[in-house]
Amino acid sequence: MSAENYSKYRSINTSIRKIPFGIIVLVLFSFLSSLYAAYYFLFATEEHRDLVVPHVGWIGHFLYLYVFLLSLILAMKPAEKLRIGLISFFALIFIYGLYSLATADNSQNYGNPYLTYGAFRPYWELGLPLFWAAILSTKSVRDFCKHGI
């Protein structure tokens, strides 16, 4: 490795180390969730969809594609407005989850898994958005977004 390549590697390595752990975990989680959504949409069997839909909803994984793109941008170019935008997006998911929970009625699902409200769905629609909003509200992430890399 030449000295010039080594200095570029060292610069990238130093920049990555400054990214808060919470943002790195959010990027990885949203990437894996988006990858699963692509698999689920393109290749999953009907039986697999019947098992997953009651627990995450119709669009559960697809929301994290948007989160992946925004969190990746946040990791590369920290900005306070982008952090607030991601927190707002998670707040919208949470509000939708509250609405979904309030209107859930498993008594009239007619055996259709797409109309069933699964036991894990509140965790996916309420708990997870709150968790990510809390991660984005930590001091290390706030300081990272205010002061940059």
Side-chain angles (χ1 to χ4, degrees):
M1 183 181 290
S2 69
E4 183 180 320
N5 287 341
Y6 180 73
S7 65
K8 286 181 185 178
Y9 166 77
R10 191 168 175 86
S11 173
I12 291 170
N13 191 19
T14 304
S15 296
I16 290 174
R17 285 185 183 171
K18 292 180 182 177
I19 299 171
F21 183 70
I23 293 178
I24 293 171
V25 171
L26 177 60
V27 168
L28 290 174
F29 174 82
S30 57
F31 173 73
L32 291 174
S33 184
S34 301
L35 196 63
Y36 179 74
Y39 161 76
Y40 171 81
F41 183 70
L42 297 174
F43 304 112
T45 63
E46 192 66 31
E47 294 82 24
H48 181 76
R49 288 188 191 126
D50 290 351
L51 289 173
V52 174
V53 166
H55 301 293
V56 298
W58 290 49
I59 57 171
H61 292 290
F62 291 105
L63 296 173
Y64 283 96
L65 178 59
Y66 179 71
V67 171
F68 170 66
L69 295 173
L70 289 181
S71 60
L72 191 61
I73 293 169
L74 182 66
M76 298 303 157
K77 295 197 180 257
E80 184 66 16
K81 288 181 181 178
L82 185 55
R83 183 184 74 84
I84 298 297
L86 270 169
I87 291 172
S88 302
F89 184 69
F90 287 125
L92 287 174
I93 296 172
F94 181 79
I95 291 168
Y96 171 76
L98 285 175
Y99 171 77
S100 182
L101 182 62
T103 59
D105 184 14
N106 277 338
S107 65
Q108 295 186 11
N109 64 11
Y110 309 106
N112 186 342
Y114 291 90
L115 299 176
T116 303
Y117 193 86
F120 291 109
R121 199 148 168 200
Y123 299 111
W124 186 262
E125 292 179 342
L126 299 173
L128 211 50
L130 279 180
F131 173 76
W132 291 123
I135 293 292
L136 290 172
S137 299
T138 60
K139 184 174 178 1
S140 62
V141 174
R142 281 182 298 171
D143 290 346
F144 175 75
C145 291
K146 285 181 184 174
H147 305 297
I149 296 178

